[in-house]
């Protein structure tokens, strides 16, 4: 009697597992249209933010932070309130870039800053434009849009520029306007 009860419980367990397996094989978990709807509901993916850092030896070359990102097509992420800090020259002096929005390429690390872009330095230089790009491979800030640069001694405006981080060289592409608020005497001290 004891053996038959044991076999009965074993038969119930094996039978339940068989019925469950048969049901799973014959019923689709989610049809193709349901899967597409689920994928559409998930995309675009929003994350809380990113923090990218580029080192050269033990020193930081540049650092970019943003509180919120949204994944876009072809490797680009849309970012909100991005902040980029570039460290340049032998003294690794900081240059700060801030904007209301922009994009970052996840493969090349290229960055695009948009809307109210401000670039500032410790020396009191301030550059403003509506679109600015950073190419980490060439270590270059550039734009083809109008810009304005203000410092204590100079006021420069134009359309388009390339600022090379390593050479600390600024190339203005078109419509250059330069003014010296205190005259040339103010520049020479």
């Amino acid at each position: 009697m004891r053996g038959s009860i044991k076999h009965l419980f074993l038969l119930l367990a094996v039978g339940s597992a068989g019925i469950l397996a048969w049901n799973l094989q014959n019923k689709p978990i989610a049809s193709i249209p349901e899967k597409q709807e689920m994928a559409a509901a998930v995309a675009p993916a929003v994350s809380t933010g990113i923090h990218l850092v580029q080192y050269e030896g033990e020193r930081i070359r540049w650092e970019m932070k943003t509180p919120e990102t949204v994944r876009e097509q072809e490797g680009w992420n849309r970012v909100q309130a991005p902040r980029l800090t570039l460290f340049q020259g032998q003294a690794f002096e900081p240059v700060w870039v801030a904007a209301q929005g922009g994009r970052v390429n996840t493969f090349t690390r290229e960055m695009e800053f948009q809307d109210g872009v401000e670039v500032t330095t410790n020396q009191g230089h301030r550059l403003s434009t509506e679109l600015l790009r950073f190419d980490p491979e060439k270590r270059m800030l550039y734009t083809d849009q109008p810009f304005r640069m203000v410092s204590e001694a100079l006021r420069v405006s134009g359309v388009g520029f390339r600022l090379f981080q390593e050479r600390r060289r600024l190339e203005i592409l078109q419509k250059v306007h330069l003014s010296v608020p205190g005259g040339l005497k103010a520049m020479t001290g």
Side-chain angles (χ1 to χ4, degrees):
M1 174 98 165
R2 213 170 207 228
S4 59
I5 293 177
K6 188 175 170 182
H7 290 293
L8 179 65
F9 281 117
L10 183 60
L11 181 63
L12 283 173
V14 170
S16 297
I19 291 171
L20 179 62
W22 181 79
N23 275 335
L24 289 175
Q25 287 178 354
N26 291 327
K27 288 185 181 178
I29 293 175
S31 66
I32 299 299
E34 289 171 341
K35 288 180 182 176
Q36 289 172 343
E37 288 173 13
M38 287 176 14
V42 170
V46 176
S47 68
T48 55
I50 56 177
H51 182 188
L52 303 173
V53 180
Q54 171 82 37
Y55 285 92
E56 185 175 284
E58 294 179 1
R59 293 185 158 203
I60 296 176
R61 229 32 213 144
W62 57 263
E63 174 181 42
M64 199 282 285
K65 294 179 182 181
T66 182
E68 183 179 313
T69 65
V70 176
R71 188 177 18 230
E72 290 185 335
Q73 295 179 4
E74 300 176 18
W76 286 93
N77 288 322
R78 177 135 322 268
V79 295
Q80 294 296 317
R83 303 292 183 259
L84 172 67
T85 305
L86 300 167
F87 298 95
Q88 61 182 10
Q90 296 296 339
F92 282 80
E93 298 166 5
V95 173
W96 298 280
V97 179
Q100 292 176 14
R103 302 184 324 155
V104 176
N105 189 300
T106 55
F107 303 114
T108 64
R109 307 292 174 146
E110 288 181 67
M111 300 171 206
E112 186 175 279
F113 301 90
Q114 303 167 341
D115 303 323
V117 182
E118 292 285 328
V119 180
T120 55
T121 68
N122 277 342
Q123 294 83 25
H125 300 96
R126 194 177 82 241
L127 184 139
S128 54
T129 185
E130 288 303 308
L131 176 69
L132 183 66
R133 293 180 177 97
F134 175 62
D135 184 336
E137 183 77 23
K138 296 178 184 174
R139 295 182 179 172
M140 177 176 69
L141 288 169
Y142 64 100
T143 187
D144 58 358
Q145 299 296 307
F147 72 94
R148 206 173 159 190
M149 186 174 76
V150 178
S151 71
E152 192 174 301
L154 293 172
R155 309 254 188 276
V156 180
S157 63
V159 176
F161 72 85
R162 291 188 288 248
L163 177 61
F164 296 92
Q165 184 181 357
E166 289 306 306
R167 293 183 272 168
R168 299 182 69 158
R169 186 170 120 191
L170 175 66
E171 294 177 358
I172 301 172
L173 304 178
Q174 301 176 47
K175 300 184 181 179
V176 180
H177 298 281
L178 171 69
S179 66
V180 182
L184 290 178
K185 192 153 191 115
M187 279 185 60
T188 57

